[in-house]
Amino acid sequence: MSRMLKKNKRTTRARSKTSKNENSMDEDDAPAAPGKDPMMAYGEKAIRLTANWIIKTNAAPGGLADWYAKQILDSKESSKSESISANFAAKNRMADLPCIETTRIKLKHLADGQKDYIHANLVKTIYAERTYIATQHPLESTFEDFWRMVFYENVDTIIAVFAQEDDLPLYFPNEAGKFGNYGKFFVNNRKVTQPTVKYTPVIHQIEILPEGCSNSRIITLLHYAYWPKNQFPVSPRIVMKTLRCVKSDKTTNGPLLIHCSNGLNRVGCFILSDLMFDLAFRNIDTDIPKMVKSLRAQRFNLLSNKLHFVYSCFVFLDYVRIRCKKYNVFPDLLKEINEFEVTINKEIGLLCVKEPPPQKNNTKKDCTIDE
């Protein structure tokens, strides 16, 4: 009998361990897989250059935050250019935030007399595989403009970053089977997938149909609700996992639309992180100062908070750390990243927001951050 009990205990522990590995999408929980990581091996030169620049800059007096404040925010170079946003104050969330005219999205298929203005900018960089629309959370008076932009700019995916604390109006039906008319656009929520693991967004499948049009479009809306303004998620993996959800959508060919309350810092963090991932892992050297200046020249005051720039670098290095640990490669770089993360956690730790535990009754596989 005692042998049977011991055997049952061992079996229970084994099942418990197996269950944890099967249900967890966290790469740190995955079994070690020593060997060559094809992604890291292919992009090693650019990955190391990008990582070393971040680590070296952070090691200087004042760290990354001080460098960004002096070299970017205090720079005499201005991203402000011709803007007509002052003429459309009722459509702007922030009265003092101009919308750069040369990159502004122009609304299409308007009735006679309607203006093409919307506070949104097309953002792109050389060598990048993706383009972005950086915009504000729509006002109630601009819901129709927002859906018009999504439909006619061929947006396939929206990343929506807003929390309950932001106190923003909901511009889409957030329950499966619910629908509504937003001006001349019928918007139907066909499906909602709740996260079953940490650091993943709620995934909405949204159908959009303009008035008088017979063909609707289906888009994906990824909503992460635990990143309030001027704060940060407790783990940088929310950025990685959300972007992985976008990349797993093979039909994506239009710009990726990202918005937060005003379309500056949380949006900028997603864009900069994605660009660093994209270029470095394709072994394309990344000039971070030049890239940031280019982004800010297309969306006025993008990444205006120095700590959001720091967090973007944190996101990139944390992903590199995960792959180094998982595949047991680049131990020298892993050590430096671990030391970097200790420093950064001290700097932004008090500003981090925890998310509630995910639901456990949904067995659908969520987006991972591994290939």
Side-chain angles (χ1 to χ4, degrees):
M1 178 66 72
S2 61
R3 289 181 181 177
M4 182 66 72
L5 288 173
K6 288 180 180 178
K7 182 178 180 181
N8 287 340
K9 287 181 180 179
R10 286 196 299 269
T11 303
T12 301
R13 283 196 297 267
R15 285 176 180 170
S16 176
K17 186 175 181 180
T18 301
S19 177
K20 179 182 178 182
N21 287 334
E22 286 177 351
N23 294 330
S24 173
M25 304 303 292
D26 189 333
E27 290 189 59
D28 277 351
D29 292 336
K36 194 172 184 180
D37 177 358
M39 286 180 63
M40 294 284 280
Y42 180 78
E44 179 177 0
K45 178 175 176 289
I47 291 168
R48 283 187 177 275
L49 282 173
T50 303
N52 288 338
W53 183 90
I54 294 171
I55 293 168
K56 182 179 178 180
T57 303
N58 193 60
L64 281 165
D66 189 59
W67 174 88
Y68 191 76
K70 292 178 179 178
Q71 299 299 319
I72 303 297
L73 299 182
D74 294 343
S75 172
K76 293 182 179 179
E77 295 181 29
S78 173
S79 64
K80 187 174 181 179
S81 66
E82 181 185 356
S83 172
I84 61 171
S85 56
N87 300 329
F88 298 92
K91 293 192 174 188
N92 301 329
R93 186 163 290 282
M94 296 179 66
D96 59 347
L97 182 66
C99 186
I100 297 172
E101 186 64 17
T102 53
T103 59
R104 182 177 65 81
I105 298 294
K106 312 298 192 293
L107 295 176
K108 300 173 182 176
H109 300 281
L110 297 163
D112 291 343
Q114 284 186 295
K115 303 297 183 181
D116 67 6
Y117 180 83
I118 188 170
H119 203 300
N121 298 96
L122 184 67
V123 176
K124 55 187 177 181
T125 64
I126 189 171
Y127 303 127
E129 292 188 326
R130 200 187 335 258
T131 58
Y132 309 87
I133 292 177
T135 187
Q136 63 184 16
H137 187 108
L139 301 161
E140 289 187 22
S141 60
T142 64
F143 284 177
E144 180 180 352
D145 294 342
F146 180 85
W147 287 115
R148 181 180 297 277
M149 172 174 65
V150 170
F151 190 89
Y152 290 115
E153 294 299 325
N154 294 316
V155 170
D156 284 319
T157 305
I158 297 170
I159 294 179
V161 189
F162 62 95
Q164 185 175 357
E165 298 94 310
D166 292 330
D167 193 25
L168 297 168
L170 196 62
Y171 61 90
F172 62 94
N174 66 341
E175 296 180 24
K178 299 290 185 180
F179 55 86
N181 289 298
Y182 298 83
K184 294 185 177 182
F185 287 80
F186 172 79
V187 179
N188 174 33
N189 193 325
R190 297 179 53 163
K191 183 180 180 181
V192 178
T193 303
Q194 296 291 341
T196 59
V197 293
K198 295 186 295 183
Y199 319 132
T200 49
V202 178
I203 304 174
H204 299 266
Q205 188 182 74
I206 304 289
E207 179 184 20
I208 318 167
L209 180 66
E211 184 180 279
C213 184
S214 58
N215 295 320
S216 63
R217 292 189 60 238
I218 307 296
I219 64 118
T220 299
L221 190 151
L222 308 171
H223 177 211
Y224 188 68
Y226 305 105
W227 190 346
K229 185 177 180 180
N230 296 325
Q231 293 180 288
F232 303 94
V234 71
S235 170
R237 288 174 218 171
I238 177 55
V239 177
M240 295 184 286
K241 288 191 174 186
T242 301
L243 290 170
R244 180 62 66 202
C245 289
V246 177
K247 291 184 178 181
S248 66
D249 181 3
K250 302 302 182 183
T251 65
T252 299
N253 52 24
L256 170 61
L257 189 152
I258 312 176
H259 80 77
C260 53
S261 57
N262 53 26
L264 298 181
N265 289 309
R266 287 168 285 183
V267 167
C269 185
F270 266 99
I271 292 176
L272 181 58
S273 299
D274 192 37
L275 287 171
M276 287 194 287
F277 292 148
D278 175 33
L279 298 182
F281 280 87
R282 288 194 291 126
N283 207 30
I284 299 174
D285 292 350
T286 305
D287 185 332
I288 294 179
K290 185 177 180 180
M291 179 184 291
V292 171
K293 290 177 181 179
S294 172
L295 296 178
R296 286 170 55 83
Q298 297 173 78
R299 174 74 175 170
F300 182 74
N301 233 12
L302 191 72
L303 283 173
S304 56
N305 184 320
K306 62 185 180 182
L307 290 183
H308 281 83
F309 169 75
V310 174
Y311 197 78
S312 303
C313 296
F314 183 20
V315 169
F316 174 78
L317 285 188
D318 193 64
Y319 184 56
V320 175
R321 178 191 65 80
I322 288 172
R323 299 198 73 90
C324 286
K325 183 177 178 181
K326 181 179 178 68
Y327 293 97
N328 195 23
V329 295
F330 308 160
D332 57 324
L333 185 56
L334 177 60
K335 180 182 177 182
E336 291 182 320
I337 293 175
N338 285 334
E339 293 171 353
F340 167 87
E341 293 199 353
V342 170
T343 303
I344 295 304
N345 277 319
K346 290 180 180 178
E347 188 170 1
I348 65 174
L350 294 177
L351 297 174
C352 289
V353 178
K354 292 184 178 180
E355 64 177 52
Q359 297 181 9
K360 296 182 179 180
N361 59 349
N362 188 338
T363 58
K364 179 178 174 62
K365 185 177 180 180
D366 285 88
C367 304
T368 71
I369 56 173
D370 197 5
E371 288 292 335

